[in-house]
């Protein structure tokens, strides 16, 4: 029961199914299981570490400078992007070549930046959630949500791109309609 | 690639949303009324055009990752005056659009397509091509918002019209996913037919 509750929570607070954040990246990730896992793990790193950084940025920044929030978030993600690439480079050149594509896809996309803004908005509405643990947990939850949605899409990927689907709707259009139906089911769960 | 193709690519053959599958979240979530659409069109057009133009002065010799970060920082800076102006032009719409306004500043057209497409062109052609890519997004946003507003709420630009059937689900995120999927399918069908006709001629 606990596991089912957890899955329902991840689905109803899912950023892709409820806010369409990171949909384009999801389509790239769903192509293969390897790509899916690589992209989801990298996105989870960015959302978790980024959310932690967002907590400090929000608390250090005064209301007067609220228009600079995006700039500071961008600089944070940029810094994480560089750190992860440098770490990968020194881990091994082959590993670097294999993994860097996931980092490039994951760094600046709506799933990551959207998480930072959504976590911040939530903390404004629920001040008791304005602490580092909740920020990081929400970031982790966003990454896990991405992974679940990517799994749901991967399960149907072959069929949605098969020749059974009319050529005009094959691939991306069919995937959007499929995600729409899943999103409708999640909407009903709320 | 001839000049004519390059100029019109972003509008028809390589539409930002329907072909390249980029910047789709604002269309799905906020593209349910024309008022939202107009504000988003303004934000997207201003931020993307200015950011790509300023970004074109970044030295191309820099490493790829560093260039992407610089482009994102430039668009975050461009966002500030665009946001301040939007608060004057659309004071009641900005809170409704919420985080999607900010997310337009880190859209894939700026962070990815600049390197893959725009900065490989000469400046004059780049400007023309960029304008048509922006117009391509704006057109999809306008069509999506008009149809969804009419069918979901029975209004056009907040004015009530005589609509017999309302499908309220079209105003919800899942309605946005389904509508965009169908729209993309119809767009492809039209493209296939146009190419077929061209081939026959």
């Amino acid at each position: 029961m606990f596991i089912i509750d957890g899955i329902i929570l991840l689905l109803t607070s899912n950023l892709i199914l409820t806010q369409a954040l990171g949909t384009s990246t999801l389509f790239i990730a769903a192509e293969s299981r390897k790509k899916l896992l690589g992209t989801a793990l990298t996105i989870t790193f960015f959302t978790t570490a980024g959310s932690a950084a967002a907590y400090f940025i929000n608390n250090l920044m005064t209301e007067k400078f609220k228009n600079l929030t995006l700039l500071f978030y961008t600089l944070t993600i940029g810094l994480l992007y560089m750190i992860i690439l440098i770490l990968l480079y020194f881990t091994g050149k082959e590993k670097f070549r294999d993994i860097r594509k996931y980092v490039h896809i994951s760094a600046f996309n709506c799933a990551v930046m959207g998480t930072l803004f959504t976590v911040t908005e939530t903390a404004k509405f629920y001040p008791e959630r304005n602490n580092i643990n909740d920020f990081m947990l929400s970031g982790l939850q966003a990454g896990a949500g991405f992974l679940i949605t990517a799994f749901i899409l991967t399960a149907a990927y072959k069929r949605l791109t098969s020749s059974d689907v009319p050529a005009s709707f094959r691939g991306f259009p069919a995937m959007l309609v499929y995600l729409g139906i899943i999103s409708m089911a999640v909407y009903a769960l709320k | 690639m001839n000049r004519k193709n390059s100029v019109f690519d972003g509008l028809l053959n390589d539409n930002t949303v329907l072909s390249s599958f980029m910047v789709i979240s604002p269309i799905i979530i906020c593209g349910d009324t024309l008022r939202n659409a107009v504000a988003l069109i303004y934000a997207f057009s201003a931020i993307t055009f200015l950011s790509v133009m300023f970004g074109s002065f970044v030295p191309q010799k820099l490493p790829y990752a560093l260039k992407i970060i610089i482009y994102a920082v430039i668009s975050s800076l461009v966002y500030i005056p665009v946001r301040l102006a939007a608060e004057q032009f659309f004071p009641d719409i900005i809170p409704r659009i919420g985080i999607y306004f900010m997310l337009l500043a880190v859209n894939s057209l700026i962070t990815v397509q600049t390197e893959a497409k725009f900065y490989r062109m000469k400046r004059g052609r780049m400007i023309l091509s960029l304008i048509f890519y922006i117009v391509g997004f704006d057109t999809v946003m306008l069509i999506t918002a008009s149809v969804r507003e009419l069918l979901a709420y029975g209004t056009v630009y907040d004015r009530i019209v005589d609509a017999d059937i309302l499908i309220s689900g079209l105003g919800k995120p899942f309605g946005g996913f389904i509508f965009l999927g169908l729209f993309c399918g119809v767009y492809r069908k039209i493209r296939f037919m146009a190419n077929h006709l061209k081939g026959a001629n």
Side-chain angles (χ1 to χ4, degrees):
Chain A
M1 204 60 200
F2 175 75
I3 295 169
I4 293 171
D5 282 350
I7 292 173
I8 289 174
L9 178 73
L10 280 178
L11 283 172
T12 51
S13 58
N14 192 294
L15 293 182
I16 296 172
L17 298 174
T18 60
Q19 295 186 59
L21 296 173
T23 318
S24 321
T25 316
L26 180 77
F27 292 142
I28 301 169
E31 277 173 22
S32 70
R33 292 202 175 181
K34 193 187 166 198
K35 230 176 184 178
L36 179 155
L37 206 63
T39 314
L41 287 175
T42 322
I43 283 187
T44 308
F45 166 77
F46 276 113
T47 52
T48 312
S51 297
Y55 169 77
F56 291 110
I57 292 169
N58 296 344
N59 284 291
L60 287 172
M61 208 162 48
T62 56
E63 188 65 17
K64 201 174 148 189
F65 298 105
K66 68 174 173 123
N67 279 332
L68 293 176
T69 311
L70 176 69
L71 180 66
F72 285 117
Y73 286 180
T74 305
L75 286 170
T76 304
I77 298 297
L79 189 67
L80 288 172
Y81 186 24
M82 291 305 282
I83 289 171
I84 197 169
L85 282 176
I86 291 168
L87 283 176
L88 278 174
Y89 185 79
F90 286 109
T91 322
K93 284 191 178 170
E94 226 169 86
K95 218 177 195 177
F96 175 71
R97 264 196 297 270
D98 275 353
I99 304 175
R100 71 175 170 186
K101 59 186 172 208
Y102 303 122
V103 185
H104 290 321
I105 297 170
S106 310
F108 288 104
N109 69 51
C110 286
V112 173
M113 294 302 274
T115 301
L116 270 53
F117 286 113
T118 307
V119 172
T120 303
E121 292 288 308
T122 311
K124 273 183 198 164
F125 281 111
Y126 305 101
E128 70 275 12
R129 294 183 69 175
N130 192 12
N131 59 70
I132 182 90
N133 289 341
D134 269 315
F135 266 69
M136 286 183 76
L137 194 67
S138 300
L140 197 66
Q141 209 176 42
F146 183 90
L147 185 68
I148 285 186
T149 319
F151 265 123
I152 293 172
L153 188 60
T154 309
Y157 191 85
K158 273 190 185 167
R159 287 186 180 201
L160 297 172
T161 51
S162 78
S163 55
D164 293 336
V165 181
S168 318
F169 283 89
R170 197 175 300 150
F172 177 68
M175 282 189 248
L176 271 176
V177 175
Y178 175 75
L179 275 183
I181 294 166
I182 304 287
S183 171
M184 199 192 305
V186 168
Y187 183 80
L189 278 176
K190 275 179 156 182
Chain B
M1 188 191 286
N2 63 39
R3 188 179 173 81
K4 195 182 170 190
N5 277 343
S6 160
V7 166
F8 289 109
D9 266 358
L11 187 60
L12 298 167
N13 289 334
D14 190 23
N15 187 282
T16 311
V17 180
L18 302 174
S19 291
S20 306
F21 322 133
M22 292 184 295
V23 212
I24 54 180
S25 45
I27 293 188
I28 290 171
I29 303 296
C30 304
D32 63 334
T33 64
L34 271 170
R35 275 191 188 275
N36 286 0
V38 171
L40 279 169
I41 284 171
Y42 153 75
F44 177 82
S45 308
I47 292 172
T48 306
F49 185 78
L50 293 172
S51 302
V52 175
M53 291 308 294
F54 290 137
S56 66
F57 294 103
V58 173
Q60 287 301 299
K61 284 177 187 169
L62 292 175
Y64 177 79
L66 193 61
K67 280 190 283 183
I68 300 296
I69 296 170
I70 295 172
Y71 300 150
V73 169
I74 289 172
S75 59
S76 304
L77 287 168
V78 168
Y79 158 82
I80 299 169
V82 172
R83 167 83 189 210
L84 291 172
E87 282 170 4
Q88 303 299 317
F89 296 136
F90 315 99
D92 50 333
I93 304 294
I94 301 302
R96 272 163 60 182
I97 296 173
I99 64 167
Y100 294 91
F101 197 103
M102 293 173 251
L103 291 179
L104 284 176
V106 281
N107 74 68
S108 321
L109 203 62
I110 299 170
T111 55
V112 180
Q113 290 298 309
T114 42
E115 274 301 299
K117 217 165 271 174
F118 299 127
Y119 297 158
R120 292 181 181 187
M121 299 173 182
K122 284 186 177 167
R123 197 170 292 267
R125 183 178 283 194
M126 181 194 84
I127 294 171
L128 273 175
S129 179
L130 174 63
I131 289 171
F132 277 96
Y133 271 94
I134 292 171
V135 173
F137 170 86
D138 296 349
T139 310
V140 174
M141 176 61 102
L142 269 182
I143 295 172
T144 307
S146 316
V147 177
R148 284 177 73 192
E149 185 178 354
L150 180 68
L151 295 178
Y153 311 117
T155 58
V156 174
Y157 213 80
D158 281 354
R159 289 195 184 130
I160 297 169
V161 293
D162 190 16
D164 289 335
I165 304 164
L166 291 183
I167 311 163
S168 59
L170 267 181
K172 304 274 184 276
F174 62 81
F177 275 115
I178 295 172
F179 180 82
L180 195 61
L182 296 176
F183 187 10
C184 186
V186 171
Y187 157 82
R188 276 192 188 176
K189 183 77 188 166
I190 293 168
R191 261 186 62 190
F192 285 151
M193 283 163 65
N195 287 342
H196 186 72
L197 274 176
K198 252 187 211 170
N201 288 336

